[in-house]
Amino acid sequence: MKKGKVIIACQVMKPELDSLAGEDNSIEIRYLEYSLHERPKKMPKLLQEQIDIAEKYASQIVLGYGLCSNGVVGLRAPKQGLIIPKVHDCISLFLGSREAYDKIFRERPGTYYLTPGWVEAGNDPLGYMERDYVPKMGREMAEWGIKEELKNYSHIVLIDTKSRDMEPFRKVAKENAAFLGKEYEEISGSEDYFRKILFGPYDKKDFVILQPGEVMQLEMIL
Protein backbone atom coordinates (compact mmCIF):
# COMPACT_ATOMS: atom_id res chain seq x y z
CA MET A 1 0.00 0.00 0.00
CA LYS A 2 1.26 3.47 -0.85
CA LYS A 3 2.79 5.32 2.06
CA GLY A 4 0.93 8.58 2.69
CA LYS A 5 -1.30 10.47 5.07
CA VAL A 6 -4.19 8.59 6.70
CA ILE A 7 -7.29 10.34 7.98
CA ILE A 8 -9.48 8.33 10.37
CA ALA A 9 -12.88 10.01 10.43
CA CYS A 10 -16.54 9.59 11.22
CA GLN A 11 -18.75 8.63 8.28
CA VAL A 12 -20.82 11.76 8.93
CA MET A 13 -18.01 13.84 7.41
CA LYS A 14 -17.74 11.83 4.20
CA PRO A 15 -19.56 14.35 1.95
CA GLU A 16 -17.26 17.18 3.02
CA LEU A 17 -13.95 15.29 3.19
CA ASP A 18 -14.47 13.43 -0.09
CA SER A 19 -15.41 16.66 -1.85
CA LEU A 20 -12.26 18.42 -0.66
CA ALA A 21 -9.86 15.50 -1.06
CA GLY A 22 -10.85 14.97 -4.68
CA GLU A 23 -8.34 12.83 -6.55
CA ASP A 24 -5.45 13.36 -4.12
CA ASN A 25 -3.95 9.86 -4.00
CA SER A 26 -1.54 10.78 -1.22
CA ILE A 27 -4.42 10.83 1.29
CA GLU A 28 -6.35 7.78 2.46
CA ILE A 29 -9.55 8.35 4.42
CA ARG A 30 -10.71 5.49 6.63
CA TYR A 31 -14.32 6.06 7.68
CA LEU A 32 -15.87 4.58 10.80
CA GLU A 33 -19.58 4.08 11.38
CA TYR A 34 -21.87 6.89 12.47
CA SER A 35 -22.73 7.51 16.08
CA LEU A 36 -19.67 6.03 17.78
CA HIS A 37 -19.95 8.91 20.25
CA GLU A 38 -23.15 7.26 21.48
CA ARG A 39 -20.98 4.32 22.60
CA PRO A 40 -18.04 6.19 24.13
CA LYS A 41 -16.78 3.17 26.04
CA LYS A 42 -16.27 1.24 22.78
CA MET A 43 -15.04 4.18 20.74
CA PRO A 44 -11.38 4.31 21.97
CA LYS A 45 -10.86 0.62 21.23
CA LEU A 46 -12.26 0.91 17.71
CA LEU A 47 -10.26 4.06 16.98
CA GLN A 48 -7.07 2.54 18.38
CA GLU A 49 -7.52 -0.49 16.13
CA GLN A 50 -7.64 1.79 13.09
CA ILE A 51 -4.64 3.79 14.30
CA ASP A 52 -2.64 0.58 14.79
CA ILE A 53 -3.49 -0.56 11.26
CA ALA A 54 -2.48 2.79 9.76
CA GLU A 55 0.74 2.86 11.79
CA LYS A 56 2.13 0.05 9.62
CA TYR A 57 2.29 2.19 6.48
CA ALA A 58 1.17 5.80 6.98
CA SER A 59 3.50 8.78 6.92
CA GLN A 60 1.09 10.79 9.09
CA ILE A 61 -2.15 10.00 10.96
CA VAL A 62 -4.90 12.55 11.60
CA LEU A 63 -8.26 12.01 13.28
CA GLY A 64 -11.52 13.43 12.00
CA TYR A 65 -12.93 13.36 15.53
CA GLY A 66 -13.11 15.83 18.38
CA LEU A 67 -13.51 14.90 22.03
CA CYS A 68 -16.83 13.21 21.15
CA SER A 69 -18.16 12.16 24.58
CA ASN A 70 -14.56 11.50 25.70
CA GLY A 71 -14.27 8.85 22.99
CA VAL A 72 -10.71 9.89 22.07
CA VAL A 73 -9.43 9.98 25.67
CA GLY A 74 -6.86 7.26 26.26
CA LEU A 75 -5.76 6.88 22.65
CA ARG A 76 -2.05 6.16 22.30
CA ALA A 77 -0.17 7.87 19.51
CA PRO A 78 1.61 5.57 17.05
CA LYS A 79 5.21 5.98 15.94
CA GLN A 80 4.14 8.76 13.56
CA GLY A 81 2.48 10.74 16.35
CA LEU A 82 -1.23 11.58 16.23
CA ILE A 83 -3.10 14.77 15.31
CA ILE A 84 -6.57 15.40 16.79
CA PRO A 85 -8.86 18.40 16.21
CA LYS A 86 -9.12 20.51 19.36
CA VAL A 87 -12.94 20.57 19.47
CA HIS A 88 -15.61 19.03 21.68
CA ASP A 89 -17.77 17.65 18.87
CA CYS A 90 -18.12 17.66 15.12
CA ILE A 91 -20.38 20.71 14.89
CA SER A 92 -17.30 22.93 15.31
CA LEU A 93 -15.77 21.16 12.32
CA PHE A 94 -18.83 21.79 10.15
CA LEU A 95 -18.89 25.46 11.16
CA GLY A 96 -15.20 25.95 10.49
CA SER A 97 -13.88 26.67 13.98
CA ARG A 98 -14.46 26.15 17.66
CA GLU A 99 -14.97 29.91 18.00
CA ALA A 100 -17.81 29.88 15.45
CA TYR A 101 -19.60 27.13 17.36
CA ASP A 102 -19.07 28.79 20.75
CA LYS A 103 -20.51 32.06 19.43
CA ILE A 104 -23.66 30.40 18.10
CA PHE A 105 -24.06 28.31 21.26
CA ARG A 106 -23.87 31.39 23.49
CA GLU A 107 -26.48 33.17 21.40
CA ARG A 108 -28.88 30.22 21.17
CA PRO A 109 -28.05 27.06 23.11
CA GLY A 110 -31.31 25.26 22.24
CA THR A 111 -30.28 24.32 18.70
CA TYR A 112 -30.34 20.85 17.13
CA TYR A 113 -27.96 20.72 14.15
CA LEU A 114 -28.30 18.61 11.03
CA THR A 115 -25.80 18.11 8.22
CA PRO A 116 -25.99 16.22 4.91
CA GLY A 117 -24.09 13.29 6.42
CA TRP A 118 -26.38 13.01 9.44
CA VAL A 119 -29.50 13.10 7.27
CA GLU A 120 -28.06 10.55 4.81
CA ALA A 121 -27.48 8.22 7.76
CA GLY A 122 -31.04 8.61 8.98
CA ASN A 123 -29.79 10.23 12.17
CA ASP A 124 -32.20 13.13 12.09
CA PRO A 125 -34.80 12.89 14.90
CA LEU A 126 -37.53 11.49 12.66
CA GLY A 127 -35.05 9.10 11.10
CA TYR A 128 -33.84 7.53 14.31
CA MET A 129 -37.36 7.59 15.75
CA GLU A 130 -38.52 5.38 12.88
CA ARG A 131 -35.44 3.17 13.04
CA ASP A 132 -34.92 2.76 16.78
CA TYR A 133 -38.00 3.85 18.70
CA VAL A 134 -41.04 2.73 16.69
CA PRO A 135 -40.02 -0.98 16.51
CA LYS A 136 -39.39 -1.05 20.26
CA MET A 137 -42.32 0.92 21.66
CA GLY A 138 -44.85 1.50 18.91
CA ARG A 139 -45.62 4.73 17.06
CA GLU A 140 -47.60 6.55 19.71
CA MET A 141 -45.00 6.10 22.44
CA ALA A 142 -42.16 6.72 19.96
CA GLU A 143 -43.62 10.06 18.88
CA TRP A 144 -44.17 11.08 22.49
CA GLY A 145 -40.65 9.98 23.38
CA ILE A 146 -38.86 11.93 20.65
CA LYS A 147 -40.83 15.08 21.42
CA GLU A 148 -40.09 14.71 25.11
CA GLU A 149 -36.41 14.06 24.40
CA LEU A 150 -36.07 17.27 22.37
CA LYS A 151 -38.51 19.45 24.31
CA ASN A 152 -35.79 21.87 25.41
CA TYR A 153 -34.64 22.62 21.87
CA SER A 154 -36.06 25.65 20.08
CA HIS A 155 -34.54 25.33 16.59
CA ILE A 156 -33.67 22.76 13.96
CA VAL A 157 -30.72 24.16 12.03
CA LEU A 158 -29.42 22.66 8.80
CA ILE A 159 -25.77 23.40 8.04
CA ASP A 160 -25.13 23.93 4.33
CA THR A 161 -21.61 22.64 3.76
CA LYS A 162 -21.73 23.14 -0.03
CA SER A 163 -20.83 19.47 -0.52
CA ARG A 164 -24.23 18.27 -1.78
CA ASP A 165 -27.38 19.52 -3.44
CA MET A 166 -29.17 20.71 -0.31
CA GLU A 167 -32.77 20.39 -1.43
CA PRO A 168 -33.32 16.75 -0.29
CA PHE A 169 -31.74 17.51 3.09
CA ARG A 170 -33.69 20.75 3.41
CA LYS A 171 -36.92 18.81 2.90
CA VAL A 172 -36.06 16.34 5.68
CA ALA A 173 -34.90 19.07 8.05
CA LYS A 174 -38.11 21.05 7.55
CA GLU A 175 -40.19 17.91 8.15
CA ASN A 176 -38.36 17.45 11.46
CA ALA A 177 -38.93 21.05 12.48
CA ALA A 178 -42.64 20.90 11.63
CA PHE A 179 -43.21 17.59 13.43
CA LEU A 180 -41.32 18.70 16.56
CA GLY A 181 -42.76 22.21 16.61
CA LYS A 182 -39.35 23.88 16.28
CA GLU A 183 -38.23 26.85 14.26
CA TYR A 184 -36.33 25.95 11.10
CA GLU A 185 -33.19 27.72 10.00
CA GLU A 186 -30.42 27.08 7.49
CA ILE A 187 -26.92 28.43 7.95
CA SER A 188 -23.74 28.28 5.91
CA GLY A 189 -21.02 25.97 7.11
CA SER A 190 -17.33 26.30 6.38
CA GLU A 191 -14.79 23.96 4.84
CA ASP A 192 -11.90 25.57 6.74
CA TYR A 193 -11.47 22.92 9.46
CA PHE A 194 -11.99 20.02 7.07
CA ARG A 195 -9.36 21.48 4.77
CA LYS A 196 -6.93 21.70 7.70
CA ILE A 197 -7.65 18.09 8.67
CA LEU A 198 -6.78 16.99 5.15
CA PHE A 199 -3.93 19.30 4.24
CA GLY A 200 -2.80 21.16 7.37
CA PRO A 201 -1.33 23.30 8.74
CA TYR A 202 -1.60 21.47 12.06
CA ASP A 203 -1.15 24.29 14.53
CA LYS A 204 -1.54 23.93 18.28
CA LYS A 205 -4.47 26.34 18.35
CA ASP A 206 -6.70 23.99 16.36
CA PHE A 207 -5.13 20.58 16.99
CA VAL A 208 -3.79 18.41 19.76
CA ILE A 209 -0.46 17.10 18.51
CA LEU A 210 0.57 13.91 20.31
CA GLN A 211 4.13 12.71 20.19
CA PRO A 212 4.89 9.01 19.55
CA GLY A 213 3.66 6.92 22.48
CA GLU A 214 1.88 9.85 24.13
CA VAL A 215 -1.62 9.18 25.50
CA MET A 216 -4.54 11.52 24.84
CA GLN A 217 -5.81 13.24 27.99
CA LEU A 218 -9.10 15.06 28.54
CA GLU A 219 -7.46 18.34 29.56
CA MET A 220 -5.64 18.57 26.22
CA ILE A 221 -8.91 19.66 24.58
CA LEU A 222 -10.77 21.39 27.43
Side-chain angles (χ1 to χ4, degrees):
M1 188 175 294
K2 184 177 179 181
K3 186 179 177 69
K5 182 185 297 185
V6 173
I7 313 294
I8 301 169
C10 178
Q11 186 83 15
V12 75
M13 302 170 195
K14 184 174 173 58
E16 293 73 30
L17 291 177
D18 282 359
S19 176
L20 287 171
E23 301 300 318
D24 190 333
N25 294 323
S26 68
I27 298 175
E28 176 193 355
I29 308 176
R30 301 178 69 93
Y31 291 111
L32 276 69
E33 64 180 287
Y34 298 98
S35 303
L36 278 186
H37 66 279
E38 296 174 1
R39 294 175 288 156
K41 292 183 179 179
K42 294 183 178 181
M43 187 172 165
K45 179 178 182 293
L46 294 172
L47 284 174
Q48 191 68 57
E49 287 174 356
Q50 293 298 315
I51 291 167
D52 293 346
I53 291 169
E55 181 180 23
K56 298 172 183 176
Y57 62 90
S59 60
Q60 193 173 42
I61 302 175
V62 185
L63 291 190
Y65 285 91
L67 186 59
C68 296
S69 303
N70 295 343
V72 300
V73 174
L75 292 179
R76 184 176 296 277
K79 63 185 179 183
Q80 298 91 335
L82 186 63
I83 300 169
I84 304 172
K86 195 180 285 187
V87 298
H88 287 94
D89 60 44
C90 65
I91 300 303
S92 294
L93 303 181
F94 287 104
L95 294 176
S97 72
R98 185 167 170 172
E99 290 77 15
Y101 173 74
D102 289 344
K103 179 178 184 296
I104 293 176
F105 182 80
R106 286 193 301 268
E107 293 172 353
R108 195 172 61 212
T111 299
Y112 192 103
Y113 293 97
L114 292 173
T115 71
W118 281 117
V119 175
E120 282 183 336
N123 280 332
D124 57 287
L126 286 176
Y128 67 74
M129 181 192 78
E130 292 290 345
R131 182 185 64 238
D132 299 334
Y133 292 6
V134 172
K136 293 178 182 177
M137 60 185 74
R139 181 161 302 280
E140 184 176 348
M141 281 298 295
E143 291 185 357
W144 175 87
I146 197 68
K147 289 178 178 178
E148 183 69 15
E149 182 180 328
L150 301 179
K151 66 181 180 181
N152 293 324
Y153 288 88
S154 59
H155 289 70
I156 298 288
V157 172
L158 178 64
I159 302 175
D160 181 1
T161 60
K162 308 297 191 293
S163 61
R164 291 283 195 275
D165 171 16
M166 292 301 292
E167 190 52 40
F169 309 112
R170 186 175 295 121
K171 180 176 182 293
V172 173
K174 287 183 175 180
E175 287 172 353
N176 275 269
F179 177 80
L180 295 167
K182 313 298 181 185
E183 289 190 47
Y184 173 78
E185 187 176 342
E186 190 170 325
I187 62 174
S188 293
S190 170
E191 65 181 27
D192 290 354
Y193 224 133
F194 291 119
R195 188 173 292 280
K196 289 180 183 178
I197 288 171
L198 288 167
F199 307 113
Y202 303 111
D203 57 80
K204 292 185 178 181
K205 173 181 175 293
D206 291 323
F207 294 92
V208 176
I209 302 171
L210 298 181
Q211 299 304 309
E214 191 174 5
V215 175
M216 179 66 190
Q217 306 294 330
L218 176 62
E219 58 269 20
M220 293 175 175
I221 284 183
L222 293 180

